[in-house]
Amino acid sequence: MTMLAGAAIRTSIVLAAGLIARAAIGRRSASLRHRVLAMTLLATAAIAPASWLLPAWAVPVPAFSITASDRAQNHHIREIRTSVSVTAANRARESDSRLPLMLWLWALGAAANGAVLLLGIARLARLTKRARPLDDARWTQLVEQSRTDAGVTRTVDLLETDTSDVLATWGFMRSRLLVPRHARGWEEERVRIVLRHELAHIRRDDWIVQIAAEALRCIYWFNPLVWVACRWLRQDSEHACDDDVLAAGTPPRTYATHLLELARICRRPSPAWASAMLMAYPSTLERRIAAMLDPNLDRRRASHRTIAGVGALIVCIALPAASLRARQTSPLPLEGSVYDATGAVMPDVELTLQGANDTAATTRTDASGRFEFEAIAPGRYVLTASIPGFKTLRYDVELRTARDWDRAITLQVGDLQETITVEAKRLPGTGGAAPANAPLRVGGNIKAPLKVHDVHPTYPDSMRAAGREGVVPIEAMIGRDGHVASARVLSAQVHPDFAAAALEAVRQWRFTPTLLNGKPVDVVMTVSVTFKLAN
């Protein structure tokens, strides 16, 4: 299950539950339906971060083999890495790390939808900047009275625009009520209805909720349930504000008449204003008027207790959905390729796969560097890959989705080892060193370095006089030119006189270059210098 597919499944579970709950309370108040959808979308937004924080809940699903296109792509990459030079192999490896096509499509869709949303808000801001305060005494008095009746405490800017089709509210920190240029001539009853409706939007923070939902839709644009939820959220907010107007004592037929007239004189609003809460949007009028004239509908505001109960129910659905992970139940062949640091394939590499019950399977790579373990069940394993001349690779493997059964492994060049014993008599005399080269495990296409200039460490006189002995472990980096590029002591339990003597000798060593596939590479050497006194 890919990242996008997993997100789509988890969010769809929450959205479907919210939409079903809304349909189940279809005869309840629009205020409650709007709160249900708002909390559903909030839970949907929290799915992604919650899925990272909550423990995974594995759900067994049948195993699906890697698709033919995946296999063809992997085979194509393997051919590239086998047949081309180091530069081409590196480019192939970079190609593997590029974002997949589906992720690019998601990013393109999210950017397009986000651009539309931001453009709509920018147009609203530009329209508001051009608008002028409606300095009409009748409107000002009715606004203050309607604010008190609606329970709105924040400041509301009443602005007259230079258009004839915008009657809406919007704003984050400061609410703006935009009215068309012909609003000065409206009768008082219509003004009261408009103010009551728009102030209900402001009191309920409908514009902020709607914009947050639209932003979520930009992210999950590929999920049709998000589009459905956003559309119903906008409609329910209008129905809830209509219920506020009717609850204030406006007769339903009077309200419907004024709403139809507003839709006529405002004409069809431009799609550019879709980011605002438009009062008289024609596409919603028929359903809204039918609801106004239905005397059996519940028009009460949702109580805090009801909202809390619905919220708890949505959380109970969202948390398991966020933890949901798909886990395959059928075994698949575990296969892949082994490469060296240059991108070339490596034949005859021994691989061992060990499970939790200590059962182990062993295989080797073929001439093209491919390996395969037959019928490996989902779970956690330890995979080990080794070949002489290279560092043994050992790492944990978790097999869950189909792509986990296809692996690419890169082995690094192994370390050189050299052990030296430096002996000296306890009585004054000449000291000496007896180097002993540890055997280098070389395999495949590695050419081991040969020491061409050797310098023996000298036993420090101060340590001989004190009768001290010691072992100095050193890690040395042999550069591509065969010189010792760096050397350091690996232990803090070493006397500085011993360390200085050992480092002085090792830094003067010279080697032939270490060749991997005919090209010089850096290699690490571990040196152990033992200073020992003889009787």
Side-chain angles (χ1 to χ4, degrees):
M1 184 169 60
T2 64
M3 180 179 65
L4 290 178
I9 292 174
R10 289 191 287 270
T11 55
S12 295
I13 293 173
V14 178
L15 289 168
L19 291 171
I20 291 173
R22 182 200 172 275
I25 58 173
R27 301 297 297 181
R28 299 291 299 275
S29 67
S31 174
L32 178 59
R33 299 198 302 271
H34 183 267
R35 296 301 182 190
V36 168
L37 286 180
M39 288 186 290
T40 298
L41 290 167
L42 176 62
T44 302
I47 283 289
S51 64
W52 290 96
L53 299 175
L54 295 175
W57 172 35
V59 177
V61 296
F64 295 96
S65 300
I66 300 176
T67 62
S69 61
D70 290 336
R71 291 183 180 274
Q73 182 180 7
N74 292 339
H75 179 70
H76 178 62
I77 294 173
R78 290 195 298 271
E79 287 182 345
I80 293 176
R81 283 184 167 170
T82 304
S83 60
V84 299
S85 63
V86 175
T87 301
N90 289 336
R91 289 178 180 175
R93 202 151 54 247
E94 291 174 1
S95 177
D96 280 344
S97 64
R98 293 174 184 169
L99 293 176
L101 176 61
M102 293 303 295
L103 197 56
W104 279 111
L105 291 177
W106 168 83
L108 181 63
N113 283 275
V116 172
L117 178 61
L118 292 176
L119 182 61
I121 297 176
R123 286 175 173 172
L124 273 177
R126 188 167 62 250
L127 177 66
T128 302
K129 187 176 182 179
R130 295 200 311 263
R132 56 189 178 277
L134 185 58
D135 54 354
D136 184 89
R138 183 176 61 124
W139 273 89
T140 303
Q141 180 182 0
L142 290 175
V143 166
E144 293 302 320
Q145 182 180 349
S146 299
R147 278 182 58 206
T148 302
D149 295 341
V152 176
T153 57
R154 73 182 69 174
T155 302
V156 178
D157 295 335
L158 181 62
L159 303 173
E160 182 181 17
T161 67
D162 55 1
T163 66
S164 60
D165 59 349
V166 176
L167 175 56
T169 58
W170 80 286
F172 285 104
M173 303 300 295
R174 192 177 186 90
S175 298
R176 283 92 170 181
L177 172 53
L178 306 178
V179 297
R181 57 174 176 259
H182 49 72
R184 292 176 181 267
W186 292 351
E187 58 186 281
E188 182 174 329
E189 185 179 44
R190 178 172 299 170
V191 174
R192 288 183 181 275
I193 289 175
V194 168
L195 290 176
R196 184 71 185 189
H197 181 95
E198 299 301 335
L199 289 172
H201 278 308
I202 295 173
R203 176 183 57 80
R204 292 163 39 84
D205 294 319
D206 282 344
W207 187 83
I208 297 175
V209 173
Q210 189 66 42
I211 289 300
E214 300 292 341
L216 183 67
R217 188 183 66 180
C218 294
I219 299 174
Y220 293 106
W221 61 268
F222 54 88
N223 192 332
L225 294 180
V226 180
W227 292 76
V228 174
C230 287
R231 181 169 62 87
W232 283 112
L233 183 74
R234 183 183 292 271
Q235 291 192 19
D236 286 341
S237 69
E238 295 297 333
H239 283 284
C241 293
D242 291 341
D243 290 344
D244 264 26
V245 176
L246 297 176
T250 303
R253 292 186 179 275
T254 301
Y255 185 23
T257 301
H258 282 290
L259 191 61
L260 285 172
E261 182 64 17
L262 286 171
R264 185 187 66 80
I265 62 178
C266 290
R267 299 195 304 274
R268 182 175 182 84
S270 169
W273 316 126
S275 56
M277 303 303 296
L278 297 171
M279 178 177 177
Y281 204 75
S283 63
T284 63
L285 284 182
E286 181 178 355
R287 189 181 296 272
R288 289 171 61 188
I289 291 176
M292 291 177 199
L293 301 178
D294 188 346
N296 298 320
L297 287 182
D298 181 5
R299 306 188 190 280
R300 295 172 297 176
R301 296 179 184 175
S303 66
H304 294 296
R305 178 179 297 181
T306 303
I307 293 174
V310 173
L313 179 61
I314 292 175
V315 168
C316 291
I317 297 174
L319 290 181
S323 303
L324 184 65
R325 303 289 190 279
R327 177 173 59 85
Q328 295 180 188
T329 57
S330 302
L332 290 174
L334 174 62
E335 56 187 5
S337 298
V338 180
Y339 308 93
D340 61 22
T342 68
V345 297
M346 296 187 61
D348 203 34
V349 177
E350 183 178 359
L351 296 102
T352 303
L353 188 68
Q354 185 172 0
N357 55 357
D358 292 333
T359 59
T362 302
T363 188
R364 287 182 177 273
T365 55
D366 58 19
S368 62
R370 292 289 294 172
F371 68 88
E372 180 176 341
F373 293 95
E374 294 185 358
I376 303 301
R380 294 179 179 271
Y381 298 87
V382 176
L383 181 62
T384 304
S386 62
I387 189 174
F390 289 81
K391 293 181 181 179
T392 298
L393 179 65
R394 179 183 176 89
Y395 70 103
D396 295 332
V397 174
E398 184 175 5
L399 303 179
R400 293 190 305 162
T401 65
R403 290 185 180 272
D404 294 336
W405 272 261
D406 191 276
R407 297 277 168 171
I409 299 173
T410 301
L411 297 183
Q412 302 297 328
V413 177
D415 297 342
L416 299 176
Q417 295 182 358
E418 184 153 338
T419 303
I420 299 174
T421 301
V422 181
E423 293 186 356
K425 294 183 178 180
R426 294 186 181 275
L427 297 176
T430 58
N437 291 337
L440 174 67
R441 296 186 302 166
V442 179
N445 43 15
I446 285 183
K447 182 178 180 181
L450 299 176
K451 186 185 292 185
V452 296
H453 179 67
D454 190 15
V455 176
H456 292 178
T458 302
Y459 209 112
D461 292 338
S462 59
M463 296 294 97
R464 290 181 61 202
R468 290 193 175 187
E469 300 178 334
V471 178
V472 183
I474 296 176
E475 181 182 83
M477 173 68 74
I478 303 175
R480 299 183 182 184
D481 58 357
H483 289 68
V484 177
S486 63
R488 65 187 184 94
V489 178
L490 298 177
S491 173
Q493 309 294 325
V494 176
H495 194 281
D497 288 352
F498 284 140
L503 288 174
E504 182 181 2
V506 171
R507 285 170 177 160
Q508 299 179 63
W509 292 353
R510 299 291 182 269
F511 297 84
T512 61
T514 303
L515 300 181
L516 176 62
N517 300 328
K519 296 184 178 297
V521 294
D522 297 334
V523 65
V524 176
M525 167 179 278
T526 302
V527 182
S528 179
V529 181
T530 302
F531 291 90
K532 183 178 180 181
L533 291 172
N535 294 324

